[in-house]
Short mmCIF file of all heavy atoms in Angstrom, two decimals:
data_model
loop_
_atom_site.label_atom_id
_atom_site.label_comp_id
_atom_site.label_asym_id
_atom_site.label_seq_id
_atom_site.Cartn_x
_atom_site.Cartn_y
_atom_site.Cartn_z
N GLN A 1167 20.70 3.86 132.36
CA GLN A 1167 21.93 4.62 132.15
C GLN A 1167 23.21 3.82 132.55
O GLN A 1167 24.21 3.76 131.88
CB GLN A 1167 21.90 5.89 132.84
CG GLN A 1167 20.92 6.96 132.26
CD GLN A 1167 20.84 8.22 133.11
OE1 GLN A 1167 21.24 8.28 134.21
NE2 GLN A 1167 20.34 9.30 132.44
N ASN A 1168 23.04 3.09 133.68
CA ASN A 1168 24.18 2.24 134.13
C ASN A 1168 24.43 1.11 133.16
O ASN A 1168 25.56 0.73 132.84
CB ASN A 1168 23.84 1.68 135.52
CG ASN A 1168 23.95 2.71 136.64
OD1 ASN A 1168 24.64 3.70 136.51
ND2 ASN A 1168 23.22 2.43 137.71
N GLU A 1169 23.33 0.49 132.62
CA GLU A 1169 23.49 -0.58 131.67
C GLU A 1169 24.17 -0.05 130.32
O GLU A 1169 25.05 -0.68 129.83
CB GLU A 1169 22.11 -1.11 131.27
CG GLU A 1169 21.54 -1.92 132.37
CD GLU A 1169 20.09 -2.38 132.04
OE1 GLU A 1169 19.59 -1.98 131.00
OE2 GLU A 1169 19.55 -3.22 132.77
N ASP A 1170 23.80 1.16 129.93
CA ASP A 1170 24.42 1.77 128.76
C ASP A 1170 25.93 2.05 129.01
O ASP A 1170 26.74 1.80 128.14
CB ASP A 1170 23.71 3.07 128.38
CG ASP A 1170 22.29 2.83 127.88
OD1 ASP A 1170 22.02 1.70 127.48
OD2 ASP A 1170 21.51 3.80 127.92
N MET A 1171 26.22 2.55 130.20
CA MET A 1171 27.60 2.88 130.51
C MET A 1171 28.44 1.57 130.55
O MET A 1171 29.58 1.49 130.12
CB MET A 1171 27.70 3.59 131.81
CG MET A 1171 27.24 5.02 131.79
SD MET A 1171 28.11 5.97 130.56
CE MET A 1171 29.80 5.83 131.14
N ARG A 1172 27.86 0.48 131.06
CA ARG A 1172 28.59 -0.81 131.07
C ARG A 1172 28.82 -1.34 129.64
O ARG A 1172 29.94 -1.82 129.37
CB ARG A 1172 27.79 -1.81 131.93
CG ARG A 1172 27.84 -1.58 133.42
CD ARG A 1172 27.33 -2.77 134.18
NE ARG A 1172 25.93 -3.12 133.82
CZ ARG A 1172 25.26 -4.13 134.35
NH1 ARG A 1172 25.88 -4.94 135.23
NH2 ARG A 1172 24.04 -4.39 134.00
N LYS A 1173 27.81 -1.24 128.85
CA LYS A 1173 28.03 -1.61 127.42
C LYS A 1173 29.07 -0.81 126.77
O LYS A 1173 29.96 -1.30 126.00
CB LYS A 1173 26.70 -1.55 126.62
CG LYS A 1173 25.71 -2.56 127.16
CD LYS A 1173 24.41 -2.44 126.31
CE LYS A 1173 23.36 -3.47 126.74
NZ LYS A 1173 22.10 -3.35 126.02
N ILE A 1174 29.02 0.55 126.95
CA ILE A 1174 30.01 1.37 126.30
C ILE A 1174 31.39 1.06 126.86
O ILE A 1174 32.41 0.98 126.13
CB ILE A 1174 29.67 2.86 126.63
CG1 ILE A 1174 28.39 3.27 125.90
CG2 ILE A 1174 30.80 3.75 126.19
CD1 ILE A 1174 27.87 4.61 126.26
N SER A 1175 31.55 0.80 128.17
CA SER A 1175 32.79 0.48 128.74
C SER A 1175 33.33 -0.85 128.21
O SER A 1175 34.53 -1.05 127.94
CB SER A 1175 32.74 0.40 130.30
OG SER A 1175 32.33 1.66 130.80
N ALA A 1176 32.43 -1.82 128.07
CA ALA A 1176 32.82 -3.14 127.55
C ALA A 1176 33.34 -3.04 126.16
O ALA A 1176 34.37 -3.63 125.80
CB ALA A 1176 31.64 -4.11 127.64
N TRP A 1177 32.65 -2.35 125.30
CA TRP A 1177 33.06 -2.22 123.89
C TRP A 1177 34.37 -1.40 123.81
O TRP A 1177 35.18 -1.66 122.94
CB TRP A 1177 31.97 -1.57 123.02
CG TRP A 1177 30.82 -2.49 122.69
CD1 TRP A 1177 29.56 -2.38 123.12
CD2 TRP A 1177 30.93 -3.62 121.85
NE1 TRP A 1177 28.81 -3.44 122.65
CE2 TRP A 1177 29.63 -4.18 121.77
CE3 TRP A 1177 31.95 -4.17 121.14
CZ2 TRP A 1177 29.30 -5.36 121.06
CZ3 TRP A 1177 31.69 -5.35 120.37
CH2 TRP A 1177 30.35 -5.91 120.37
N ALA A 1178 34.51 -0.41 124.66
CA ALA A 1178 35.73 0.31 124.71
C ALA A 1178 36.94 -0.55 125.11
O ALA A 1178 38.05 -0.49 124.53
CB ALA A 1178 35.58 1.51 125.65
N ALA A 1179 36.68 -1.47 126.07
CA ALA A 1179 37.75 -2.38 126.48
C ALA A 1179 38.14 -3.37 125.36
O ALA A 1179 39.27 -3.67 125.16
CB ALA A 1179 37.29 -3.15 127.67
N ILE A 1180 37.08 -3.82 124.56
CA ILE A 1180 37.35 -4.72 123.47
C ILE A 1180 38.16 -4.02 122.42
O ILE A 1180 39.10 -4.51 121.83
CB ILE A 1180 36.04 -5.25 122.92
CG1 ILE A 1180 35.32 -6.12 123.94
CG2 ILE A 1180 36.22 -5.96 121.59
CD1 ILE A 1180 33.91 -6.57 123.51
N ALA A 1181 37.76 -2.77 122.09
CA ALA A 1181 38.51 -1.97 121.07
C ALA A 1181 39.92 -1.61 121.50
O ALA A 1181 40.75 -1.38 120.66
CB ALA A 1181 37.71 -0.71 120.74
N ALA A 1182 40.11 -1.56 122.81
CA ALA A 1182 41.47 -1.17 123.27
C ALA A 1182 42.54 -2.17 122.98
O ALA A 1182 43.77 -1.81 122.74
CB ALA A 1182 41.43 -0.94 124.78
N VAL A 1183 42.19 -3.49 122.91
CA VAL A 1183 43.23 -4.53 122.70
C VAL A 1183 43.80 -4.42 121.29
O VAL A 1183 45.06 -4.25 121.11
CB VAL A 1183 42.61 -5.90 122.90
CG1 VAL A 1183 43.62 -7.00 122.50
CG2 VAL A 1183 42.24 -6.07 124.37
N PRO A 1184 43.05 -4.40 120.16
CA PRO A 1184 43.61 -4.29 118.85
C PRO A 1184 44.30 -2.90 118.68
O PRO A 1184 45.24 -2.82 117.99
CB PRO A 1184 42.45 -4.44 117.89
CG PRO A 1184 41.21 -4.20 118.70
CD PRO A 1184 41.53 -4.65 120.09
N THR A 1185 43.71 -1.87 119.37
CA THR A 1185 44.28 -0.56 119.25
C THR A 1185 45.68 -0.53 119.86
O THR A 1185 46.63 0.03 119.36
CB THR A 1185 43.41 0.49 120.00
OG1 THR A 1185 42.12 0.52 119.38
CG2 THR A 1185 44.02 1.86 119.88
N MET A 1186 45.86 -1.23 121.01
CA MET A 1186 47.18 -1.31 121.68
C MET A 1186 48.16 -2.03 120.85
O MET A 1186 49.31 -1.58 120.67
CB MET A 1186 46.97 -2.00 123.06
CG MET A 1186 48.31 -2.14 123.82
SD MET A 1186 48.12 -3.10 125.25
CE MET A 1186 47.76 -4.70 124.60
N ILE A 1187 47.79 -3.18 120.29
CA ILE A 1187 48.69 -4.04 119.49
C ILE A 1187 49.09 -3.24 118.23
O ILE A 1187 50.24 -3.16 117.87
CB ILE A 1187 48.05 -5.40 119.11
CG1 ILE A 1187 47.77 -6.16 120.42
CG2 ILE A 1187 48.94 -6.15 118.15
CD1 ILE A 1187 47.06 -7.48 120.18
N ALA A 1188 48.06 -2.65 117.53
CA ALA A 1188 48.39 -1.86 116.37
C ALA A 1188 49.24 -0.73 116.65
O ALA A 1188 50.14 -0.33 115.91
CB ALA A 1188 47.08 -1.42 115.71
N GLY A 1189 49.08 -0.10 117.83
CA GLY A 1189 49.85 1.08 118.23
C GLY A 1189 51.30 0.68 118.50
O GLY A 1189 52.20 1.42 118.08
N ILE A 1190 51.50 -0.49 119.09
CA ILE A 1190 52.90 -0.97 119.35
C ILE A 1190 53.68 -1.19 118.06
O ILE A 1190 54.80 -0.78 117.86
CB ILE A 1190 52.88 -2.17 120.25
CG1 ILE A 1190 52.38 -1.80 121.66
CG2 ILE A 1190 54.23 -2.78 120.32
CD1 ILE A 1190 52.17 -3.04 122.55
N TYR A 1191 52.95 -1.89 117.15
CA TYR A 1191 53.59 -2.24 115.90
C TYR A 1191 53.68 -1.13 114.89
O TYR A 1191 54.20 -1.23 113.79
CB TYR A 1191 52.96 -3.47 115.27
CG TYR A 1191 53.44 -4.81 115.82
CD1 TYR A 1191 52.83 -5.31 116.95
CD2 TYR A 1191 54.53 -5.38 115.30
CE1 TYR A 1191 53.31 -6.51 117.47
CE2 TYR A 1191 54.99 -6.61 115.80
CZ TYR A 1191 54.41 -7.16 116.93
OH TYR A 1191 54.87 -8.29 117.50
N GLY A 1192 53.04 -0.02 115.27
CA GLY A 1192 53.08 1.13 114.42
C GLY A 1192 54.13 2.10 114.82
O GLY A 1192 54.18 3.27 114.25
N MET A 1193 55.02 1.81 115.70
CA MET A 1193 56.02 2.74 116.25
C MET A 1193 57.27 2.76 115.39
O MET A 1193 58.16 3.56 115.60
CB MET A 1193 56.37 2.41 117.70
CG MET A 1193 55.22 2.71 118.71
SD MET A 1193 55.69 2.56 120.41
CE MET A 1193 56.06 0.84 120.50
N ASN A 1194 57.37 1.86 114.34
CA ASN A 1194 58.40 1.93 113.30
C ASN A 1194 59.80 1.74 113.89
O ASN A 1194 60.80 2.29 113.37
CB ASN A 1194 58.35 3.25 112.54
CG ASN A 1194 57.06 3.41 111.74
OD1 ASN A 1194 56.53 2.45 111.18
ND2 ASN A 1194 56.52 4.61 111.72
N PHE A 1195 59.98 0.81 114.92
CA PHE A 1195 61.32 0.49 115.35
C PHE A 1195 61.83 -0.58 114.48
O PHE A 1195 61.07 -1.43 113.92
CB PHE A 1195 61.24 0.00 116.83
CG PHE A 1195 60.89 1.09 117.79
CD1 PHE A 1195 59.78 0.95 118.67
CD2 PHE A 1195 61.66 2.27 117.89
CE1 PHE A 1195 59.56 1.97 119.61
CE2 PHE A 1195 61.38 3.26 118.78
CZ PHE A 1195 60.29 3.17 119.68
N ASP A 1196 63.07 -0.66 114.34
CA ASP A 1196 63.71 -1.67 113.44
C ASP A 1196 63.77 -3.05 114.13
O ASP A 1196 63.57 -4.03 113.48
CB ASP A 1196 65.17 -1.27 113.11
CG ASP A 1196 65.18 -0.11 112.14
OD1 ASP A 1196 64.23 0.03 111.40
OD2 ASP A 1196 66.24 0.70 112.19
N HIS A 1197 64.05 -3.07 115.42
CA HIS A 1197 64.14 -4.32 116.12
C HIS A 1197 62.87 -4.63 116.89
O HIS A 1197 62.75 -4.24 118.06
CB HIS A 1197 65.36 -4.33 117.00
CG HIS A 1197 66.60 -4.00 116.27
ND1 HIS A 1197 67.27 -4.87 115.36
CD2 HIS A 1197 67.42 -2.83 116.27
CE1 HIS A 1197 68.34 -4.31 114.86
NE2 HIS A 1197 68.44 -3.08 115.43
N MET A 1198 61.98 -5.29 116.34
CA MET A 1198 60.74 -5.71 117.01
C MET A 1198 60.49 -7.15 116.66
O MET A 1198 60.80 -7.63 115.59
CB MET A 1198 59.52 -4.80 116.46
CG MET A 1198 59.65 -3.37 116.91
SD MET A 1198 58.19 -2.50 116.41
CE MET A 1198 56.99 -3.16 117.56
N PRO A 1199 59.84 -7.92 117.61
CA PRO A 1199 59.60 -9.39 117.43
C PRO A 1199 58.76 -9.64 116.16
O PRO A 1199 57.75 -8.93 115.93
CB PRO A 1199 58.96 -9.85 118.59
CG PRO A 1199 59.29 -8.82 119.65
CD PRO A 1199 59.47 -7.50 118.95
N GLU A 1200 59.26 -10.56 115.32
CA GLU A 1200 58.46 -11.01 114.17
C GLU A 1200 58.14 -9.87 113.14
O GLU A 1200 57.19 -10.03 112.35
CB GLU A 1200 57.13 -11.75 114.53
CG GLU A 1200 57.32 -13.05 115.18
CD GLU A 1200 57.81 -12.94 116.61
OE1 GLU A 1200 57.30 -12.10 117.30
OE2 GLU A 1200 58.66 -13.76 117.04
N LEU A 1201 58.85 -8.81 113.22
CA LEU A 1201 58.56 -7.69 112.33
C LEU A 1201 58.82 -8.00 110.87
O LEU A 1201 58.14 -7.58 109.97
CB LEU A 1201 59.28 -6.41 112.80
CG LEU A 1201 59.04 -5.10 111.99
CD1 LEU A 1201 57.56 -4.73 112.22
CD2 LEU A 1201 59.90 -4.00 112.49
N HIS A 1202 59.94 -8.78 110.69
CA HIS A 1202 60.35 -9.10 109.34
C HIS A 1202 59.97 -10.49 108.89
O HIS A 1202 60.53 -10.98 107.87
CB HIS A 1202 61.92 -8.89 109.18
CG HIS A 1202 62.28 -7.49 109.50
ND1 HIS A 1202 62.04 -6.41 108.61
CD2 HIS A 1202 62.96 -6.96 110.55
CE1 HIS A 1202 62.53 -5.31 109.12
NE2 HIS A 1202 63.08 -5.56 110.32
N GLN A 1203 59.09 -11.19 109.65
CA GLN A 1203 58.67 -12.54 109.32
C GLN A 1203 57.37 -12.42 108.48
O GLN A 1203 56.53 -11.51 108.67
CB GLN A 1203 58.36 -13.35 110.55
CG GLN A 1203 59.50 -13.51 111.52
CD GLN A 1203 60.62 -14.32 110.91
OE1 GLN A 1203 60.42 -15.20 110.06
NE2 GLN A 1203 61.89 -14.01 111.28
N TRP A 1204 57.31 -13.34 107.52
CA TRP A 1204 56.12 -13.26 106.60
C TRP A 1204 54.79 -13.56 107.31
O TRP A 1204 53.72 -13.07 106.93
CB TRP A 1204 56.30 -14.27 105.45
CG TRP A 1204 56.28 -15.73 105.92
CD1 TRP A 1204 57.37 -16.46 106.19
CD2 TRP A 1204 55.10 -16.55 106.04
NE1 TRP A 1204 56.98 -17.76 106.60
CE2 TRP A 1204 55.61 -17.81 106.48
CE3 TRP A 1204 53.77 -16.37 105.91
CZ2 TRP A 1204 54.78 -18.87 106.74
CZ3 TRP A 1204 52.90 -17.39 106.11
CH2 TRP A 1204 53.43 -18.62 106.65
N TRP A 1205 54.93 -14.29 108.45
CA TRP A 1205 53.67 -14.63 109.17
C TRP A 1205 53.32 -13.58 110.28
O TRP A 1205 52.39 -13.77 111.02
CB TRP A 1205 53.76 -16.03 109.76
CG TRP A 1205 55.06 -16.33 110.46
CD1 TRP A 1205 56.15 -16.86 109.95
CD2 TRP A 1205 55.41 -15.98 111.86
NE1 TRP A 1205 57.17 -17.02 110.87
CE2 TRP A 1205 56.78 -16.36 112.06
CE3 TRP A 1205 54.73 -15.30 112.87
CZ2 TRP A 1205 57.39 -16.22 113.27
CZ3 TRP A 1205 55.33 -15.16 114.04
CH2 TRP A 1205 56.65 -15.58 114.28
N GLY A 1206 54.20 -12.59 110.40
CA GLY A 1206 53.97 -11.58 111.54
C GLY A 1206 52.62 -10.84 111.41
O GLY A 1206 51.90 -10.71 112.43
N TYR A 1207 52.31 -10.44 110.17
CA TYR A 1207 51.06 -9.74 110.04
C TYR A 1207 49.80 -10.52 110.36
O TYR A 1207 48.96 -10.11 111.15
CB TYR A 1207 51.02 -9.14 108.62
CG TYR A 1207 49.70 -8.35 108.38
CD1 TYR A 1207 49.34 -7.18 108.97
CD2 TYR A 1207 48.79 -8.86 107.45
CE1 TYR A 1207 48.19 -6.49 108.68
CE2 TYR A 1207 47.59 -8.18 107.12
CZ TYR A 1207 47.31 -6.97 107.77
OH TYR A 1207 46.13 -6.37 107.51
N PRO A 1208 49.66 -11.75 109.74
CA PRO A 1208 48.49 -12.52 110.04
C PRO A 1208 48.49 -12.98 111.55
O PRO A 1208 47.42 -13.10 112.15
CB PRO A 1208 48.63 -13.74 109.08
CG PRO A 1208 50.01 -13.76 108.63
CD PRO A 1208 50.45 -12.33 108.63
N ALA A 1209 49.65 -13.19 112.09
CA ALA A 1209 49.70 -13.58 113.49
C ALA A 1209 49.13 -12.47 114.37
O ALA A 1209 48.44 -12.70 115.35
CB ALA A 1209 51.12 -13.94 113.90
N ALA A 1210 49.53 -11.21 114.11
CA ALA A 1210 49.07 -10.07 114.85
C ALA A 1210 47.49 -9.94 114.79
O ALA A 1210 46.79 -9.75 115.76
CB ALA A 1210 49.66 -8.78 114.37
N LEU A 1211 46.96 -10.22 113.49
CA LEU A 1211 45.49 -10.18 113.38
C LEU A 1211 44.81 -11.23 114.13
O LEU A 1211 43.75 -11.04 114.79
CB LEU A 1211 45.17 -10.25 111.85
CG LEU A 1211 45.59 -9.09 110.99
CD1 LEU A 1211 45.17 -9.37 109.55
CD2 LEU A 1211 44.94 -7.77 111.47
N ILE A 1212 45.43 -12.45 114.13
CA ILE A 1212 44.82 -13.55 114.88
C ILE A 1212 44.84 -13.30 116.36
O ILE A 1212 43.86 -13.55 117.07
CB ILE A 1212 45.59 -14.87 114.54
CG1 ILE A 1212 45.31 -15.26 113.06
CG2 ILE A 1212 45.15 -15.95 115.48
CD1 ILE A 1212 46.16 -16.45 112.63
N VAL A 1213 45.93 -12.72 116.85
CA VAL A 1213 46.04 -12.35 118.25
C VAL A 1213 44.96 -11.37 118.65
O VAL A 1213 44.29 -11.47 119.67
CB VAL A 1213 47.42 -11.88 118.63
CG1 VAL A 1213 47.45 -11.28 120.09
CG2 VAL A 1213 48.49 -12.96 118.53
N MET A 1214 44.75 -10.37 117.77
CA MET A 1214 43.75 -9.31 118.00
C MET A 1214 42.39 -10.02 118.01
O MET A 1214 41.56 -9.65 118.95
CB MET A 1214 43.78 -8.26 116.90
CG MET A 1214 44.93 -7.41 116.87
SD MET A 1214 44.81 -6.20 115.54
CE MET A 1214 46.45 -5.43 115.63
N LEU A 1215 42.08 -10.91 117.13
CA LEU A 1215 40.72 -11.50 117.10
C LEU A 1215 40.51 -12.36 118.27
O LEU A 1215 39.44 -12.29 118.86
CB LEU A 1215 40.65 -12.34 115.78
CG LEU A 1215 39.38 -13.12 115.57
CD1 LEU A 1215 38.22 -12.08 115.48
CD2 LEU A 1215 39.40 -13.95 114.32
N ILE A 1216 41.54 -13.20 118.67
CA ILE A 1216 41.32 -14.01 119.86
C ILE A 1216 41.11 -13.25 121.11
O ILE A 1216 40.25 -13.54 121.95
CB ILE A 1216 42.56 -14.97 120.00
CG1 ILE A 1216 42.59 -15.95 118.82
CG2 ILE A 1216 42.51 -15.77 121.34
CD1 ILE A 1216 43.80 -16.86 118.80
N ALA A 1217 41.86 -12.11 121.18
CA ALA A 1217 41.75 -11.30 122.42
C ALA A 1217 40.36 -10.62 122.45
O ALA A 1217 39.71 -10.62 123.53
CB ALA A 1217 42.83 -10.26 122.43
N CYS A 1218 39.88 -10.14 121.33
CA CYS A 1218 38.56 -9.46 121.26
C CYS A 1218 37.43 -10.45 121.59
O CYS A 1218 36.54 -10.08 122.37
CB CYS A 1218 38.35 -8.84 119.93
SG CYS A 1218 39.41 -7.40 119.60
N VAL A 1219 37.51 -11.68 120.95
CA VAL A 1219 36.44 -12.66 121.23
C VAL A 1219 36.51 -13.10 122.73
O VAL A 1219 35.38 -13.24 123.33
CB VAL A 1219 36.66 -13.92 120.33
CG1 VAL A 1219 35.76 -15.04 120.70
CG2 VAL A 1219 36.46 -13.48 118.85
N SER A 1220 37.63 -13.27 123.29
CA SER A 1220 37.73 -13.72 124.65
C SER A 1220 37.18 -12.69 125.63
O SER A 1220 36.37 -13.00 126.55
CB SER A 1220 39.19 -14.03 125.04
OG SER A 1220 39.70 -14.98 124.21
N ILE A 1221 37.54 -11.42 125.36
CA ILE A 1221 36.99 -10.28 126.22
C ILE A 1221 35.49 -10.22 126.11
O ILE A 1221 34.68 -9.91 127.02
CB ILE A 1221 37.72 -8.97 125.90
CG1 ILE A 1221 39.19 -9.09 126.25
CG2 ILE A 1221 37.05 -7.80 126.70
CD1 ILE A 1221 39.96 -7.91 125.84
N HIS A 1222 34.97 -10.33 124.80
CA HIS A 1222 33.54 -10.23 124.50
C HIS A 1222 32.79 -11.29 125.28
O HIS A 1222 31.74 -11.11 125.90
CB HIS A 1222 33.25 -10.31 123.02
CG HIS A 1222 31.85 -10.14 122.63
ND1 HIS A 1222 30.90 -11.16 122.76
CD2 HIS A 1222 31.16 -9.03 122.23
CE1 HIS A 1222 29.74 -10.73 122.39
NE2 HIS A 1222 29.87 -9.44 122.06
N ARG A 1223 33.31 -12.53 125.24
CA ARG A 1223 32.66 -13.64 126.00
C ARG A 1223 32.65 -13.39 127.46
O ARG A 1223 31.69 -13.72 128.16
CB ARG A 1223 33.34 -14.99 125.59
CG ARG A 1223 33.19 -15.45 124.19
CD ARG A 1223 33.78 -16.76 124.00
NE ARG A 1223 33.13 -17.80 124.82
CZ ARG A 1223 33.53 -19.05 124.82
NH1 ARG A 1223 34.58 -19.43 124.14
NH2 ARG A 1223 32.90 -19.90 125.53
N LEU A 1224 33.74 -12.86 127.97
CA LEU A 1224 33.92 -12.52 129.45
C LEU A 1224 32.80 -11.51 129.83
O LEU A 1224 32.11 -11.74 130.83
CB LEU A 1224 35.26 -12.07 129.75
CG LEU A 1224 35.50 -11.61 131.19
CD1 LEU A 1224 35.34 -12.82 132.10
CD2 LEU A 1224 36.86 -10.96 131.34
N PHE A 1225 32.67 -10.44 129.00
CA PHE A 1225 31.70 -9.39 129.34
C PHE A 1225 30.27 -9.95 129.22
O PHE A 1225 29.34 -9.61 130.00
CB PHE A 1225 31.91 -8.17 128.50
CG PHE A 1225 33.00 -7.32 128.96
CD1 PHE A 1225 33.94 -6.83 128.01
CD2 PHE A 1225 33.18 -6.97 130.25
CE1 PHE A 1225 35.02 -6.08 128.39
CE2 PHE A 1225 34.22 -6.14 130.68
CZ PHE A 1225 35.19 -5.74 129.73
N SER A 1226 30.03 -10.81 128.18
CA SER A 1226 28.70 -11.39 128.02
C SER A 1226 28.29 -12.29 129.14
O SER A 1226 27.13 -12.22 129.65
CB SER A 1226 28.67 -12.14 126.66
OG SER A 1226 28.91 -11.26 125.60
N ARG A 1227 29.25 -13.11 129.60
CA ARG A 1227 28.98 -13.94 130.73
C ARG A 1227 28.67 -13.19 132.05
O ARG A 1227 27.86 -13.66 132.89
CB ARG A 1227 30.22 -14.86 130.95
CG ARG A 1227 29.88 -16.00 131.96
CD ARG A 1227 30.92 -17.10 131.86
NE ARG A 1227 32.28 -16.61 132.01
CZ ARG A 1227 33.16 -16.66 131.06
NH1 ARG A 1227 32.87 -17.13 129.89
NH2 ARG A 1227 34.40 -16.18 131.24
N ASN A 1228 29.25 -12.01 132.18
CA ASN A 1228 29.00 -11.17 133.37
C ASN A 1228 27.80 -10.22 133.23
O ASN A 1228 27.51 -9.45 134.13
CB ASN A 1228 30.24 -10.33 133.67
CG ASN A 1228 31.42 -11.25 134.10
OD1 ASN A 1228 31.18 -12.32 134.70
ND2 ASN A 1228 32.64 -10.78 133.87
N GLY A 1229 27.15 -10.31 132.08
CA GLY A 1229 25.94 -9.46 131.85
C GLY A 1229 26.22 -8.06 131.45
O GLY A 1229 25.30 -7.22 131.49
N TRP A 1230 27.39 -7.76 131.03
CA TRP A 1230 27.69 -6.42 130.53
C TRP A 1230 27.29 -6.23 129.09
O TRP A 1230 27.19 -5.07 128.65
CB TRP A 1230 29.19 -6.11 130.77
CG TRP A 1230 29.55 -5.79 132.12
CD1 TRP A 1230 29.17 -6.49 133.25
CD2 TRP A 1230 30.34 -4.68 132.59
NE1 TRP A 1230 29.67 -5.93 134.40
CE2 TRP A 1230 30.44 -4.85 134.05
CE3 TRP A 1230 31.04 -3.69 131.95
CZ2 TRP A 1230 31.15 -3.92 134.82
CZ3 TRP A 1230 31.77 -2.77 132.75
CH2 TRP A 1230 31.84 -2.91 134.13
N LEU A 1231 27.20 -7.24 128.31
CA LEU A 1231 26.81 -7.20 126.91
C LEU A 1231 25.63 -8.15 126.61
O LEU A 1231 25.42 -9.07 127.30
CB LEU A 1231 28.03 -7.52 125.98
CG LEU A 1231 29.16 -6.52 125.92
CD1 LEU A 1231 30.34 -7.06 125.17
CD2 LEU A 1231 28.69 -5.19 125.38
#
Side-chain angles (χ1 to χ4, degrees):
Q1167 288 177 342
N1168 289 336
E1169 291 176 351
D1170 292 340
M1171 288 303 299
R1172 287 193 300 179
K1173 290 181 180 179
I1174 293 172
S1175 300
W1177 284 112
I1180 293 173
V1183 174
T1185 301
M1186 180 187 67
I1187 297 175
I1190 292 173
Y1191 278 87
M1193 290 189 292
N1194 297 320
F1195 293 125
D1196 289 333
H1197 304 288
M1198 295 186 68
E1200 289 77 38
L1201 185 62
H1202 300 288
Q1203 303 294 331
W1204 65 267
W1205 46 265
Y1207 177 67
L1211 293 180
I1212 292 173
V1213 170
M1214 291 180 188
L1215 179 61
I1216 293 175
C1218 289
V1219 171
S1220 300
I1221 296 174
H1222 185 276
R1223 292 185 62 182
L1224 176 64
F1225 283 133
S1226 297
R1227 188 164 54 248
N1228 293 333
W1230 282 48
L1231 290 174

